[in-house]
Amino acid sequence: MPPKRRGPLQTVQRETDDIKRKVDALVQHAAEPDASDRTETLERCKELQRAVEEIMKTLKKLSKADELAPVGNYDQCKREEEKRLLTLYERLQSLAVQLKPHDEMAGPSSSQRDQENEEENSDEEDVSSEDEDAEEEVKDNYDNDNDDDDDNADSGDEDISPTASGQGSVSYIALSAFKGEEEGDLSIQKGEGLEVLSKNKDGWWLAQNSRGQTGLVPKTFLKPSSPQDSERKDEDVDEGESEEEEEESSKTSNWNTVRKAVTEIDATDVLSAMGAIPPGFRPSTLSRLLEEGRSYRASHFIQPKLSQSQLSFKDLHMDPDTGKVHGRPSRVSLTLTLWSCRMIPPPGVGLQVLSRHVRLCAFNGTQVLSNIHTVRATYNSKSPKTWSFSPRMTGMLPCLLDGDCFLRCDSESPDLGILFELGVTYIRNSTGERGDLSCGWAFLKLFDESGAPIALRTQELTVHGGTPFEKDSDMDTTSTKRGYPTGVFQQMLLSRKIPKLVVKLKSVNTRSRELLNLLPDTIVGSLSTVHLLATYRQILADALLLDRVTMYNADLICSSVLASFPDVLDQPDLMDAFRKSWTESESNLRRSDKRDINVLKQMFVSVYMGSVFPLLYSAEMPAPCWADEEVESQRARIIYSPSQKTSVETLLSSQSSHQAFDITQVSYDLISSAQH
């Protein structure tokens, strides 16, 4: 019977067992009092260190697809082997420090290091070019440098990289207390001094406290204790920021916001270092843009756009024959449906997910060109890596859950497309801190190389990690370039594990095209609200183009609808209440009245003022808070409860509590509201 073939992971496990036996024997031999030949023992220690490094590099390249047979809990087994190798490396490094002669404790000379590097290079000449690149990267990390360049979060590698002191160490101070939860972790107290022995690119550093205890601690809990190190680190940051500012001044983009999301050391860095989120997750870029103000909200893009002279409107014109808004075709005017997301890595157990959602907008590769529209995904615990949209339910589907969207954009950029950002809103179980994470992004370019529009069909988009401004950031460490299998069958299996977003592009029917042409040249939103937006634009055109005394008059316009509807547009639950009341009123109209724009405008004002406007300024209505279940439930009770239903009469009665009156509630300011 032929011997059973071993898988790559099993081979690494056996090699680690063999190294462990040799390390135990070496430590026992070094502890003997008659161990006089310390130089020979030190050389054996260095050989074992190099062997551990080689096994670690081999282990990093392994993926589950390389196994000859299925392996249960593969990722867990791989992490356990990494921890075993780190522990062995730590023991060997401590032993090397003990065996080092006192006159060499300051660290090896530069000539000795160069000689060792030359020996390593001569031993590895027969390795392939790809492995040589990896070896050079690891060797560079092993060189004698005290900077933090090996700590960049952009790199997906997690090679062991000892600090500059080689056999010595670098002093750091703990920023806050950390309690080790797993074997090999080092518990520290705030203000405690530590000696960092090695820095790993996964964010966990090997440190030693004053009592001689060693273990792994997150790098975000440490800061350099030497003022010189801090000053040099600040200088490096300043240089990097100045280079980025020069690049930002050369072209218009959203890089400033993205740089904050990528470079700031915040809770996301801590979560990534602790392994609570996958490596491709980042702070949400589009969420930060939404928090900056109304510049990327629908309430801003629904407003008319002034022409270059600022004496007329660029995208709002009246047809003199019909008295209706003149339809304007845009370069891109389409509808799309979000179908599903597959193989999206879930966050770790330390986070409670409050919302899973997709944010989409028009994008040209460097700049967000439209408002940011959000669609919340539904989630089944039985399929934790699958998201779906537009769930079946009785009654009206909320626009926040509606995967049917529309997009209009008049940009002439050849790289114009749709940016999709998959995100989660979370709360940390330990601290109660909230945050928004990007689980990945996908980009659908709407024009080919010749400038022709792409075919309107179902698209399977690959979800990339990081941000749209990062390159080659993987969602999962098992799908890195080094881990791609060569077999056709293995590639087929791997393709099923790649995160995907399924989107269906659809052509616009005649009725929908007529409504979409009444909207601004650039806007994104839910398809279920198009008829309301088109009617609002008609009312807006009447007030701005017909009712003003002259086109040069910029006085305040007394209209509660024009003044407050943009605020309602940013609150999906109020838009759902408006849609519900509109549908009920429209069902009572005759068929001819449903096509009469004057009847529809009157009904718009009547329904809006009788249902949504009182809710918008009700004192009992809490302010909207994204992904806050308690606030959303309280608002839903007020909106849909019959006992809580309000009207203009009840709002003005002495028994009703409402917000203090503000002139902005009933006056529309053309100058401040229009897009410039």
Side-chain angles (χ1 to χ4, degrees):
M1 183 176 180
K4 185 177 180 181
R5 296 179 62 186
R6 300 174 183 170
L9 182 60
Q10 188 178 9
T11 302
V12 170
Q13 290 173 338
R14 291 181 178 271
E15 292 177 353
T16 305
D17 293 337
D18 185 47
I19 292 292
K20 184 177 183 303
R21 287 192 292 269
K22 293 180 180 180
V23 171
D24 293 338
L26 183 63
V27 172
Q28 185 177 2
H29 174 73
E32 295 178 0
D34 57 348
S36 56
D37 193 359
R38 299 174 63 92
T39 304
E40 180 180 355
T41 305
L42 181 60
E43 290 299 324
R44 289 176 57 191
C45 181
K46 292 182 178 180
E47 291 177 1
L48 291 177
Q49 279 183 306
R50 287 191 288 269
V52 171
E53 295 165 7
E54 292 296 329
I55 297 175
M56 177 64 78
K57 286 181 284 187
T58 302
L59 180 62
K60 295 294 183 183
K61 299 177 182 178
L62 297 184
S63 66
K64 194 173 182 178
D66 298 331
E67 296 297 325
L68 303 176
V71 179
N73 298 329
Y74 180 85
D75 295 334
Q76 181 179 356
C77 295
K78 186 176 178 180
R79 287 194 296 268
E80 291 177 355
E81 287 305 306
E82 291 178 358
K83 187 164 292 189
R84 289 179 62 194
L85 290 170
L86 286 174
T87 303
L88 292 175
Y89 190 88
E90 170 195 338
R91 294 179 60 189
L92 289 171
Q93 193 160 11
S94 300
L95 180 61
V97 173
Q98 297 175 5
L99 297 174
K100 193 73 175 177
H102 295 289
D103 56 349
E104 299 180 9
M105 287 301 288
S109 63
S110 59
S111 60
Q112 290 175 337
R113 285 193 300 271
D114 295 338
Q115 182 178 358
E116 291 179 3
N117 292 337
E118 292 176 358
E119 292 176 356
E120 291 181 5
N121 290 334
S122 62
D123 294 338
E124 297 169 357
E125 288 179 353
D126 56 342
V127 184
S128 64
S129 60
E130 180 179 355
D131 292 338
E132 286 178 355
D133 294 339
E135 297 287 357
E136 290 176 3
E137 180 181 352
V138 173
K139 186 177 67 178
D140 290 340
N141 291 336
Y142 276 51
D143 284 340
N144 190 14
D145 59 322
N146 284 332
D147 58 10
D148 291 339
D149 291 342
D150 56 349
D151 300 332
N152 289 337
D154 296 344
S155 172
D157 300 335
E158 299 180 356
D159 302 329
I160 305 174
S161 53
T163 57
S165 55
Q167 315 304 335
S169 56
V170 180
S171 299
Y172 281 78
I173 294 178
L175 292 172
S176 60
F178 169 73
K179 184 178 181 181
E181 299 179 354
E182 298 182 7
E183 182 180 357
D185 294 346
L186 177 64
S187 298
I188 58 177
Q189 300 297 327
K190 182 177 180 180
E192 182 179 1
L194 299 171
E195 302 292 330
V196 174
L197 305 178
S198 67
K199 301 177 180 178
N200 307 322
K201 286 195 172 182
D202 60 357
W204 291 87
W205 290 359
L206 180 64
Q208 183 177 14
N209 58 20
S210 58
R211 299 182 296 276
Q213 299 173 339
T214 58
L216 298 174
V217 296
K219 70 174 184 180
T220 51
F221 282 68
L222 305 178
K223 70 173 182 179
S225 61
S226 172
Q228 297 176 351
D229 294 340
S230 300
E231 293 175 0
R232 185 173 65 249
K233 185 175 181 180
D234 293 338
E235 292 175 358
D236 295 341
V237 173
D238 294 338
E239 291 177 0
E241 290 181 352
S242 62
E243 293 176 358
E244 291 168 349
E245 289 173 358
E246 292 176 359
E247 180 180 358
E248 180 182 3
S249 61
S250 63
K251 62 180 181 180
T252 303
S253 70
N254 300 108
W255 176 244
N256 189 32
T257 300
V258 176
R259 184 178 61 182
K260 291 182 181 178
V262 174
T263 60
E264 282 184 353
I265 297 180
D266 53 12
T268 308
D269 299 296
V270 179
L271 294 174
S272 179
M274 297 176 64
I277 58 176
F281 282 29
R282 296 287 188 275
S284 174
T285 303
L286 299 187
S287 175
R288 293 203 177 199
L289 291 178
L290 286 174
E291 293 174 357
E292 290 180 357
R294 302 182 62 171
S295 300
Y296 295 97
R297 296 184 179 271
S299 58
H300 174 71
F301 280 83
I302 195 63
Q303 302 289 0
K305 193 172 186 179
L306 291 174
S307 62
Q308 186 175 3
S309 65
Q310 298 193 10
L311 297 177
S312 61
F313 299 103
K314 180 180 179 182
D315 60 351
L316 190 65
H317 303 279
M318 189 74 76
D319 190 334
D321 297 332
T322 62
K324 300 179 181 179
V325 174
H326 181 69
R328 288 173 50 87
S330 187
R331 185 191 182 200
V332 174
S333 183
L334 55 83
T335 60
L336 59 99
T337 300
L338 299 176
W339 279 109
S340 64
C341 303
R342 302 197 301 262
M343 301 306 298
I344 307 302
V349 295
L351 303 179
Q352 177 186 352
V353 178
L354 304 178
S355 172
R356 293 172 174 83
H357 48 266
V358 172
R359 304 189 194 272
L360 61 149
C361 60
F363 189 67
N364 64 358
T366 59
Q367 186 180 14
V368 174
L369 303 175
S370 70
N371 61 296
I372 300 170
H373 179 61
T374 304
V375 180
R376 182 170 290 176
T378 55
Y379 166 78
N380 188 350
S381 58
K382 295 181 180 179
S383 301
K385 295 186 177 182
T386 301
W387 298 4
S388 58
F389 305 92
S390 302
R392 295 181 179 180
M393 59 176 57
T394 57
M396 182 179 296
L397 178 66
C399 57
L400 185 60
L401 303 179
D402 193 356
D404 292 331
C405 309
F406 70 88
L407 180 139
R408 282 171 56 85
C409 187
D410 64 344
S411 173
E412 296 297 330
S413 171
D415 299 323
L416 177 62
I418 308 176
L419 174 64
F420 302 90
E421 183 189 72
L422 284 64
V424 295
T425 302
Y426 69 90
I427 182 172
R428 293 184 64 184
N429 296 332
S430 57
T431 63
E433 180 182 3
R434 288 170 54 101
D436 285 278
L437 289 175
S438 168
C439 305
W441 61 274
F443 180 69
L444 176 60
K445 192 175 179 180
L446 297 177
F447 297 90
D448 58 20
E449 297 300 330
S450 63
I454 63 173
L456 300 179
R457 58 181 179 84
T458 301
Q459 304 277 349
E460 263 198 11
L461 307 177
T462 301
V463 178
H464 305 277
T467 70
F469 300 89
E470 295 181 73
K471 302 297 182 183
D472 302 328
S473 181
D474 296 302
M475 288 290 293
D476 196 353
T477 54
T478 59
S479 61
T480 59
K481 297 183 183 65
R482 299 175 299 172
Y484 281 136
T486 57
V488 176
F489 181 70
Q490 291 181 342
Q491 288 181 353
M492 292 176 60
L493 293 178
L494 180 61
S495 64
R496 297 184 178 182
K497 300 179 181 180
I498 297 177
K500 295 282 187 178
L501 170 64
V502 183
V503 180
K504 183 178 182 180
L505 301 182
K506 298 181 292 186
S507 59
V508 183
N509 57 40
T510 304
R511 175 58 179 166
S512 297
R513 183 179 293 107
E514 292 176 355
L515 294 176
L516 289 175
N517 287 342
L518 300 178
L519 302 184
D521 293 342
T522 299
I523 191 171
V524 185
S526 174
L527 194 59
S528 61
T529 63
V530 170
H531 60 293
L532 297 177
L533 301 182
T535 307
Y536 172 78
R537 291 280 290 185
Q538 182 66 56
I539 298 175
L540 186 64
D542 290 348
L544 298 181
L545 303 179
L546 294 180
D547 299 341
R548 283 195 299 164
V549 178
T550 66
M551 292 297 99
Y552 307 106
N553 190 320
D555 293 341
L556 296 178
I557 299 175
C558 182
S559 174
S560 300
V561 175
L562 299 184
S564 60
F565 179 77
D567 294 331
V568 174
L569 191 56
D570 290 336
Q571 303 181 35
D573 51 359
L574 290 183
M575 282 299 296
D576 293 335
F578 190 16
R579 289 169 53 214
K580 182 175 182 296
S581 300
W582 174 274
T583 303
E584 294 173 353
S585 299
E586 190 180 33
S587 62
N588 299 325
L589 294 179
R590 294 177 299 180
R591 180 175 299 181
S592 59
D593 291 339
K594 293 181 180 179
R595 292 281 183 171
D596 191 335
I597 187 60
N598 293 320
V599 174
L600 294 179
K601 287 188 295 184
Q602 293 176 4
M603 190 177 75
F604 186 99
V605 175
S606 175
V607 172
Y608 180 82
M609 296 302 297
S611 60
V612 182
F613 184 78
L615 291 171
L616 182 62
Y617 298 110
S618 172
E620 298 178 358
M621 178 75 75
C625 183
W626 170 253
D628 191 319
E629 184 177 358
E630 183 178 354
V631 173
E632 292 177 353
S633 300
Q634 187 176 355
R635 287 172 62 91
R637 284 195 300 268
I638 297 175
I639 293 173
Y640 297 108
S641 176
S643 60
Q644 296 286 348
K645 194 169 184 178
T646 58
S647 63
V648 176
E649 291 77 11
T650 57
L651 180 64
L652 297 178
S653 67
S654 59
Q655 299 177 354
S656 175
S657 59
H658 52 82
Q659 297 180 14
F661 175 76
D662 192 318
I663 190 63
T664 58
Q665 299 175 8
V666 296
S667 59
Y668 179 76
D669 188 351
L670 167 62
I671 301 301
S672 62
S673 300
Q675 300 183 56
H676 296 271

